[in-house]
Amino acid sequence: MTKNDRYLGTQLFFDKNRKANFEPLLQKYYSTLQGWKSKLLSQAGRTFLIKSILQAFPTYQMQVLALPKETLNQLDRIQRNFWWNKEGQKRQGGFIRAWKYICQPIAQGGLGIKNPHQFNITLLTKLASRLIIEKYKLWAKIIKAKYFPNSHPLEASKSSNLSWIWTSSRKGLDLIKGNFIWQVKNGNSVKIWEDRWIPNSDIPSQPQDSQGTAPTTVQELITEDNTWDQEKLNSYINPEVRNKIQAISPNKEE
């Protein structure tokens, strides 16, 4: 096995200079463009080539690695200049329409060309969701044993000293964590004051005068009859949030 060995176009070994690791990818972009006569293509043709060929090149790398910002900017610049038929021009002048609008989904009036930054984080979020859902598969067990043996992936360490692949996965996990809520069920693993678990509501604030006495898990707010403990809700939760909690159906037997 050598330093230049690859799997599905992705290097197995990386240099410390992360940007340098993706120079071959950028060169592949450039060499591909040189074989296309953009001046002879309509914008529809250039759109098709970008979406079907150019954007497929970095897919495998983006699925597991957060590419350097400079690399993503360069990928975006290459496809933008090609689409506007301005690649290779020293003085490019202005553009008729902002590129961000062209990159919007077709349903929103754009052409569906993927922004590399957004595409990268989307793929990393997909990987992170698989890590949560497919926790019994071998690959997920290996990652858990190495990076978060005693915790949930959403609560795993964010240390910068860990591997590039894991810190990249953390970006996807952070996005998930900021946009999901726990399903209560029996509530034994849901933290009242730390986790998002109430629909259409922020994490409840713990009353300052209840330090050391307030319940810590949602399970402690549920009675043996699978109903909410009204006394505790009245003691620790404000009325607006309390109404949203009561709309949830707990199940302490699960």
Side-chain angles (χ1 to χ4, degrees):
M1 186 173 292
T2 67
K3 181 180 178 181
N4 295 323
D5 284 346
R6 298 172 179 273
Y7 177 70
L8 297 177
T10 304
Q11 290 181 226
L12 298 179
F13 302 96
F14 301 100
D15 294 326
K16 290 185 178 180
N17 183 350
R18 294 187 175 182
K19 182 181 177 181
N21 292 302
F22 296 98
E23 287 300 325
L25 174 63
L26 293 175
Q27 289 301 322
K28 188 174 183 180
Y29 252 59
Y30 283 122
S31 61
T32 300
L33 288 178
Q34 289 176 358
W36 296 341
K37 301 297 183 181
S38 60
K39 293 183 179 180
L40 304 179
L41 295 170
S42 65
Q43 284 190 326
R46 294 195 291 272
T47 301
F48 175 80
L49 289 174
I50 290 172
K51 294 169 66 174
S52 63
I53 299 179
L54 278 187
Q55 293 187 335
F57 289 163
T59 300
Y60 288 117
Q61 293 93 327
M62 286 184 173
Q63 285 180 342
V64 293
L65 297 171
L67 273 61
K69 183 178 179 180
E70 296 87 349
T71 301
L72 294 171
N73 286 340
Q74 187 66 8
L75 291 173
D76 194 41
R77 188 179 302 115
I78 292 171
Q79 64 182 18
R80 182 181 69 240
N81 290 343
F82 175 74
W83 193 84
W84 284 113
N85 193 21
K86 293 191 177 186
E87 75 277 8
Q89 298 182 21
K90 294 183 179 180
R91 301 185 64 179
Q92 296 180 352
F95 296 97
I96 299 175
R97 186 170 177 78
W99 183 242
K100 65 179 181 180
Y101 296 114
I102 294 173
C103 291
Q104 287 182 333
I106 294 176
Q108 297 178 14
L111 295 178
I113 295 175
K114 295 182 178 66
N115 176 288
H117 295 269
Q118 296 175 357
F119 189 38
N120 195 184
I121 192 62
T122 297
L123 292 177
L124 292 176
T125 304
K126 181 179 179 180
L127 175 66
S129 66
R130 289 182 59 205
L131 184 61
I132 297 172
I133 297 170
E134 301 176 2
K135 59 183 179 181
Y136 298 113
K137 291 193 175 181
L138 179 60
W139 72 274
K141 289 182 177 179
I142 292 173
I143 292 179
K144 177 176 176 59
K146 184 173 179 62
Y147 298 114
F148 52 98
N150 302 312
S151 64
H152 190 275
L154 293 175
E155 301 172 348
S157 171
K158 297 183 180 180
S159 173
S160 60
N161 296 324
L162 300 178
S163 74
W164 189 359
I165 291 179
W166 175 242
T167 54
S168 298
S169 301
R170 281 291 331 169
K171 294 180 181 293
L173 288 168
D174 288 343
L175 187 60
I176 291 174
K177 190 171 183 178
N179 292 277
F180 89 113
I181 64 171
W182 287 95
Q183 185 176 2
V184 170
K185 294 187 177 181
N186 60 21
N188 65 342
S189 59
V190 184
K191 299 180 178 65
I192 300 173
W193 318 110
E194 300 177 27
D195 296 330
R196 293 172 58 91
W197 59 280
I198 307 171
N200 303 315
S201 179
D202 295 328
I203 299 172
S205 300
Q206 183 177 352
Q208 294 183 354
D209 58 354
S210 67
Q211 299 293 334
T213 62
T216 58
T217 67
V218 175
Q219 186 180 48
E220 298 173 67
L221 299 177
I222 305 173
T223 68
E224 294 298 329
D225 299 326
N226 286 327
T227 59
W228 293 106
D229 189 318
Q230 294 299 323
E231 182 178 349
K232 289 183 178 179
L233 290 182
N234 293 338
S235 299
Y236 301 109
I237 308 295
N238 69 60
E240 182 181 352
V241 178
R242 194 186 310 152
N243 292 334
K244 294 179 179 179
I245 293 175
Q246 291 172 327
I248 303 172
S249 298
N251 189 347
K252 201 166 186 178
E253 296 178 357
E254 292 191 22

